[in-house]
Structures are given as C-alpha cells and as structure tokens.
Amino acid sequence: MAFWAMCRRDLALTLREGGGWANALVFFLLVGAFSGFAIGPDLERIRAFAAPILWIAALLACQLSLDRLFAADVEQGIVEIIALGPSSLTQFVAAKCVAVWVCAVAPLLAATPLLGVILNIAPQTLLGVVVTLLIGAPALVLWGALGSALSAGGKASGVLVALLATPLTAPTLIFGILGVRALESPGGWTAPELRYLLATTLIACVLAPPAAAAALKAQID
Amino acid sequence: MITWLANPERFVKFARPAAPIAAIITVLTFIIGIPWALVFSPEDFRQGASVRIMYVHVPAAWMAMFVYTIIAVAGFISFVWRHVLADAAIRYAAPMGAIFTALALVTGSLWGQPMWGTWWAWDARLTSVLVLFFLYLGLISLRGAIGNETRAARLVAIAAMVGWINVPIVKFSVDIWNSLHQSASVIRADGPTIHASMLWPLAIMGLAYMAFFAWAMLTALLAEVDVRRVKALDSKTGPASRIRIETNASPGGAFKPGAANG
C-alpha cells in the first residue's frame, strides 16, 4: 500500500541520516536535566514540578524534530510527484506523522521513565505522564506537521514552526497535565480530562492532515 | 453584501465615501467617549478611579476577538475564491488585531495589579487571550517569511482558518482548567450587571474602537486597490514609461528621448 510505502521511505531516510532520530530524544533529556539544575537540589520541589517539566520537554522536542519535516521534499520535488500520483497529499502528511511518531516520539516515551527517575517523580505520576503522552503526543506531532508544511518554503523555518504550532497545542498541554493529576487518584482512568485529551488528539487528526496537505499544495503551485 | 463588494469597482465606490464617514464617527466618538469615560463617569464604590481602565480595556478585548473573526472569514474567502482583497484584509487586519490584543493584555494587567494584587493570573480569559496574541504573531510572521505573494495568500488563509477553529477549543480547555483548579487570587466574577452610567461611555468607546478599525481597514484596502491598478498598468505598458516621464521632468536634465534607457 502506498501509505506504508511512504512510511517506510521516511523511516529509512531518518534512520540512515546518521542519528537524526536521536535529536529529539537528546533535546528532551537536556531540557529535563537543565530544568533540574534550574530548580535546585530540593527533592520535594523537583517532584512537584516533574510532570510539567516532562510534558513541556516532550512538547518542545516534538516541535524541534518537525521544523524541517517537509522542507527537503518541497525543494526536491517529491511533493509534486506525490500530488501527481494516485495517493493524496493528506495520506502523505499522515504517513510522515506516523514516521515521526516511530522515530522521534517513541524513543522519547521510552526515555520518560529515565528522566522521571532523575526528577524524583512519584511512580503513580510517572504512569500518568506516560499514559497522557501516549494519548496526547499525536496531537503535538500533527500540529507541528501543519506548522512545518506552512513554513516549508520559508526563510526562517525553525522559530516559525514553533510560533505557528505551539498555540495550537495549548489545549493538549492543558488537558495532558490535568490528565496526569486525574490519574494520581485511584478512579482516574475514567476521568473526563483523559477523554478531553483524546478529543484534542482526534480534532488534530481530522484537521491537521488536510490543512497541511492544502499548505503543501500551495507550496508547489 | 460580501459577494457584492467582491467586485473591486463596487468596493471602491462603497469605500470612498464610507472611509471618511468612519473617520468622522471615530473622531466624534473619541471626543465624546474619552472625557466621559475618563473624567465624568462615576467611580466604582470599591475600585475607585481605577475602574476607568475598563473603558480602554474592554473594547480592546472585544476588538481582539472581533478582528480575529474577520480574519478567519477573510481567510475562508481568500482560500476558496482566491480573492486578492480578502488576502489584503488579512494582511492589514493581523497587525491591528495583534495591537488590540496587546492593548487588552497590558491594560488588563495594569488593572489586575491594584484589583487582584497580581499582574497576571492564570485565569481562563487571560490565558486564551494570550494564546490569541500568539496566533496573531504567527500569522504576521508567516506572511513575512514567504516571498511569493500568491503562495503567501494561500498559506496565511489556511493558518487563519485553523487558528479560528482553535480559539473556542482553547477557551473551552482553559475554562475547565480554571474551574478545576481555582486560582488563589481574587478573580472578579463577571456576573454583576454594569450600571447605565458606566455602560454608556463603555458603548461609545466600543463604537469608537470599531469605527477606527473600519476607517483604517477601508483606507488600507483602497490603497491596496490603487497599488494593484498601478501594477496592472505597469504590466501592460511596462514600468519604463513611468520612469521616462520622471527623468524628463527632472529639472536641469537635457531633454533626450530614450537616452535614459541607453
């Protein structure tokens, strides 16, 4: 299928580029560790801030790994070829997002317990962070992909992606943190915050790929 | 109305008289509104004179949301019909919307300091207006980063529409966030009905802001139509025709037809 072929192409490109996939992970660990330095050695204070730090670090790392997501494909004419072919640009965007999730977000999720431990996080909170990131991270990737598609032909890509995508991720961040707090209590699994978090991801799933595809179409017109 | 005005000829016919009317309304409402709001309106029995920030703050907040809605509608028109005036409307409205939003945030902060005891509260309204401000900045810098005008119009239209969909979601999420985790600061309940002696100056200030925005937008769009006409003329006859006229008219220059191009 064309969709999986596009996914595989992106995965192969990212993995063969020599450590490109690790950028987001290293950035995530750096932001987490430096927040620790900034807060200081008081273990109780670090514990209180651990969940927000993990979420912010994940959010920033997602945007960072997305700033050049479509730039090369627009410059090299790949987008034009796909637009001419049988599969839609929306599919192409979705395939890109799946590849980003596998290459950048999955390692980041795997490293969350490690960063959580050095931030002295409570086990129940750590579970909450991992669960909410599992639900919410796709929205971060999708909005980042939209920002990247909008700024693919631009001059100042990096900061522009953050400026375009970050406001769109505000609801996901808010409900993500609320979900962590809800999961700290015993009956948290059915909390409405988790459903709202899922809703922000589903809205991003519906809106971001077609919008990003329209933006890519405008880039090649 | 919008389809009627889509024709640039009709738009110019409408805007030429409408712009001075908006200008007159702007000047009159500010002349009446500012002294009324800042001097003659009654002081609040609890807030004292600082309640007068409201007359600057509340209309700015209205405009912040109104201008974004205008931008989203213009974005839709620009995206679907590729109308150049709709795109120009986004280009001129975005910085103005950002300024209104910044004004609402700054005056709100100045009002919050004596009333709530803090410059900033992570309250639902403040937070969603702040996100709105970032959306405006994103639109402005996206436009700045793209050289090709047609492409910039398409991309900015997409960003404007998606941003508008985000506004109610942000509002909704911060509402829930706030209701679950009540801030410790004293947050003014937006229940109390405003007395007529305060409502009237507020309404006039709101009208003044709105008329100012209409005036500025109409003037900018008229200028845009003129710029496009000059460009169309250039593409027909070539810019050389204008340049030659200018060189011929320069004082002291010898009249040599065609020499300027040689």
Side-chain angles (χ1 to χ4, degrees):
Chain A
M1 248 177 71
F3 181 80
W4 297 115
M6 287 191 276
C7 279
R8 275 203 306 275
R9 169 185 171 268
D10 266 345
L11 286 175
L13 279 176
T14 318
L15 294 177
R16 285 171 199 172
E17 246 170 14
W21 59 274
N23 281 351
L25 178 62
V26 173
F27 184 80
F28 176 69
L29 293 173
L30 266 178
V31 171
F34 272 66
S35 306
F37 297 158
I39 292 167
D42 184 344
L43 286 177
E44 277 313 303
R45 243 167 71 185
I46 290 187
R47 177 181 288 238
F49 286 121
I53 288 171
L54 288 172
W55 250 94
I56 287 287
L59 193 149
L60 293 177
C62 282
Q63 319 252 296
L64 176 91
S65 58
L66 289 170
D67 73 333
R68 301 285 295 164
L69 186 60
F70 295 110
D73 289 331
V74 169
E75 281 158 20
Q76 294 165 4
I78 309 277
V79 174
E80 265 163 319
I81 290 171
I82 286 165
L84 289 172
S87 45
S88 68
L89 281 175
T90 310
Q91 241 181 340
F92 175 64
V93 172
K96 278 271 184 188
C97 291
V98 171
V100 167
W101 196 92
V102 173
C103 289
V105 180
L108 200 145
L109 280 169
T112 301
L114 177 67
L115 194 52
V117 165
I118 65 171
L119 290 172
N120 192 33
I121 198 169
Q124 193 62 31
T125 317
L126 176 63
L127 181 68
V129 171
V130 172
V131 169
T132 51
L133 277 179
L134 266 175
I135 303 173
L140 305 179
V141 172
L142 285 157
W143 290 129
L146 173 62
S148 181
L150 284 169
S151 62
K155 283 171 283 183
S157 287
V159 186
L160 190 57
V161 173
L163 190 52
L164 288 168
T166 312
L168 299 170
T169 58
T172 305
L173 174 66
I174 291 171
F175 286 127
I177 289 298
L178 286 179
V180 173
R181 288 193 190 143
L183 284 170
E184 279 170 351
S185 57
W189 289 97
T190 53
E193 290 86 348
L194 288 181
R195 293 181 207 168
Y196 289 137
L197 179 63
L198 184 59
T200 66
T201 298
L202 293 177
I203 289 169
C205 284
V206 174
L207 286 179
L216 286 179
K217 186 124 200 328
Q219 299 284 8
I220 57 169
D221 267 350
Chain B
M1 173 88 173
I2 287 170
T3 45
W4 189 78
L5 287 177
N7 180 331
E9 289 290 322
R10 280 194 295 245
F11 174 77
V12 169
K13 253 184 206 164
F14 163 79
R16 286 246 187 270
I21 292 173
I24 292 166
I25 297 174
T26 308
V27 173
L28 280 181
T29 45
F30 270 125
I31 286 175
I32 300 168
I34 289 175
W36 193 356
L38 298 186
V39 180
F40 301 114
S41 70
E43 288 186 3
D44 188 82
F45 79 102
R46 271 174 61 208
Q47 301 191 14
S50 61
V51 74
R52 293 191 172 117
I53 298 174
M54 175 180 80
Y55 303 109
V56 182
H57 170 74
V58 173
W62 285 339
M63 292 308 291
M65 284 176 284
F66 175 73
V67 174
Y68 201 90
T69 310
I70 294 276
I71 285 177
V73 172
F76 182 76
I77 295 169
S78 163
F79 186 77
V80 175
W81 291 288
R82 302 190 184 222
H83 199 287
V84 286
L85 277 183
D87 175 51
I90 303 178
R91 190 163 70 238
Y92 295 119
M96 290 183 65
I99 290 167
F100 281 128
T101 314
L103 185 65
L105 286 170
V106 169
T107 53
S109 179
L110 291 173
W111 196 8
Q113 170 56 25
M115 291 306 112
W116 300 344
T118 172
W119 297 104
W120 186 264
W122 288 100
D123 158 69
R125 268 196 199 173
L126 279 71
T127 314
S128 49
V129 172
L130 185 64
V131 172
L132 188 64
F133 182 62
F134 289 132
L135 287 172
Y136 276 120
L137 292 190
L139 280 185
I140 295 168
S141 49
L142 178 62
R143 160 82 59 186
I146 305 161
N148 182 323
E149 225 176 281
T150 340
R151 184 174 299 158
R154 303 290 289 164
L155 297 172
V156 169
I158 295 167
M161 286 188 291
V162 174
W164 179 74
I165 292 160
N166 191 57
V167 169
I169 301 172
V170 171
K171 185 82 182 75
F172 170 70
S173 65
V174 288
D175 269 338
I176 288 182
W177 178 38
N178 190 51
S179 66
L180 287 179
H181 296 272
Q182 199 63 43
S183 173
S185 61
V186 187
I187 288 166
R188 188 179 64 99
D190 37 358
T193 48
I194 302 176
H195 191 261
S197 60
M198 289 183 177
L199 191 60
W200 272 107
L202 182 61
I204 287 178
M205 287 300 281
L207 183 63
Y209 275 58
M210 187 73 90
F212 171 71
F213 176 67
W215 175 26
M217 282 303 287
L218 288 171
T219 311
L221 289 178
L222 279 172
E224 178 73 19
V225 171
D226 287 344
V227 166
R228 291 198 168 268
R229 277 186 182 154
V230 171
K231 274 186 189 162
L233 270 180
D234 281 355
S235 64
K236 260 186 220 157
T237 58
S241 59
R242 272 196 304 142
I243 292 168
R244 202 166 59 232
I245 292 163
E246 281 155 20
T247 44
N248 287 346
S250 63
F255 185 75
K256 287 179 201 159
N261 294 338

